[in-house]
Amino acid sequence: MGAQEKHTDDLKIIRKIMEESSRFLSLSGLSGVFIGLYALIGAIVCRFIILNESSKGDYSLFSAEISLNNKILALAFFVLIMIISLATAYLLALKKSRSKNQKIWSPVTRQLLVNLFVPLAAGAVFIIILLVNNNPEYIGASMLIFYGLALFNAGKYTFGEVQYLGGIEIIFGLLAASFTQLSLIFWLLGFSALHILYGLILYQKYR
């Protein structure tokens, strides 16, 4: 091996070490696929079973005609879906990190979680405000926008594709806010179809 080749290999090793120390690389693409499937199931159950009170025949996720009790029940179900999604993402990340002999908890992991959960917490409070003020038609859009902001914010600590995913989620959220009668469609595109597509791409690229 020549000196030039050895120098190139050394640079690759240094770059890899720096990348692993500054980014969370244990994220599994399969978690995106599972989250997309959970979202699909959650939307079907909430919209057509829990919230099936609307007489408009539109494709909104939430409607002002729905009773307050059912709105609260639906939000609680969405929270359950989110908890299951986070648990799945954690377990798959843990499995991936162990297979590569990497630590899952590090200063980078903490930074990622802080940047992820601050927008999510703000979004949760905003959705409660919408519910209290009887503006449920914007709840679906708010979920997409704040979730997109969370992904975009946390994306700089993991794979770059996460920021792209967050940006597209924000766009779908803005469309859902502009066309509230189609918010269910945009919600499904953002939380289900996009997650499954992103998960498959990430899995093929970084497995």
Side-chain angles (χ1 to χ4, degrees), residues 24-147:
F24 180 77
L25 302 179
S26 296
L27 191 65
S28 173
L30 288 178
S31 62
V33 177
F34 280 110
I35 291 171
L37 294 175
Y38 296 154
L40 178 61
I41 295 170
I44 292 173
V45 171
C46 282
R47 182 62 181 85
F48 298 107
I49 297 178
I50 300 176
L51 301 177
N52 192 23
E53 299 181 17
S54 176
S55 60
K56 293 181 179 180
D58 60 21
Y59 293 95
S60 59
L61 185 64
F62 283 82
S63 170
E65 299 175 4
I66 299 167
S67 66
L68 180 60
N69 287 340
N70 277 9
K71 291 173 189 173
I72 294 174
L73 181 60
L75 284 177
F77 188 77
F78 277 124
V79 170
L80 176 62
I81 292 293
M82 184 183 71
I83 292 173
I84 294 173
S85 298
L86 291 173
T88 300
Y90 170 75
L91 291 174
L92 290 174
L94 182 62
K95 180 180 178 181
K96 184 177 179 180
S97 65
R98 286 178 175 175
S99 68
K100 295 187 175 183
N101 294 319
Q102 297 173 343
K103 291 183 179 180
I104 191 170
W105 291 108
S106 68
V108 176
T109 307
R110 288 190 288 271
Q111 286 291 329
L112 184 147
L113 292 176
V114 168
N115 281 269
L116 180 71
F117 282 110
V118 168
L120 289 179
V125 173
F126 185 73
I127 288 171
I128 292 173
I129 293 172
L130 290 176
L131 189 62
V132 170
N133 288 279
N134 197 28
N135 291 309
E137 64 271 21
Y138 293 105
I139 289 179
S142 300
M143 288 180 179
L144 287 164
I145 291 171
F146 282 98
Y147 179 66

Side-chain angles (χ1 to χ4, degrees), residues 170-204:
I170 293 171
I171 292 172
F172 279 138
L174 294 173
L175 289 171
S178 301
F179 306 97
T180 56
Q181 290 188 339
L182 298 175
S183 60
L184 174 62
I185 304 299
F186 292 118
W187 196 95
L188 284 172
L189 287 173
F191 280 110
S192 184
L194 194 59
H195 262 112
I196 293 173
L197 177 62
Y198 147 81
L200 291 173
I201 292 173
L202 202 67
Y203 179 73
Q204 289 295 325

Side-chain angles (χ1 to χ4, degrees), residues 9-26:
D9 290 340
D10 289 342
L11 286 177
K12 289 180 180 179
I13 294 172
I14 293 171
R15 187 181 297 114
K16 182 180 179 182
I17 293 173
M18 292 180 63
E19 184 180 62
E20 290 179 351
S21 65
S22 62
R23 298 169 68 197
F24 180 77
L25 302 179
S26 296

Side-chain angles (χ1 to χ4, degrees), residues 151-152 155 159-171 194:
L151 292 180
F152 191 85
F159 301 115
E161 288 82 357
V162 173
Q163 284 193 313
Y164 292 115
L165 176 63
I168 300 174
E169 296 282 1
I170 293 171
I171 292 172
L194 194 59

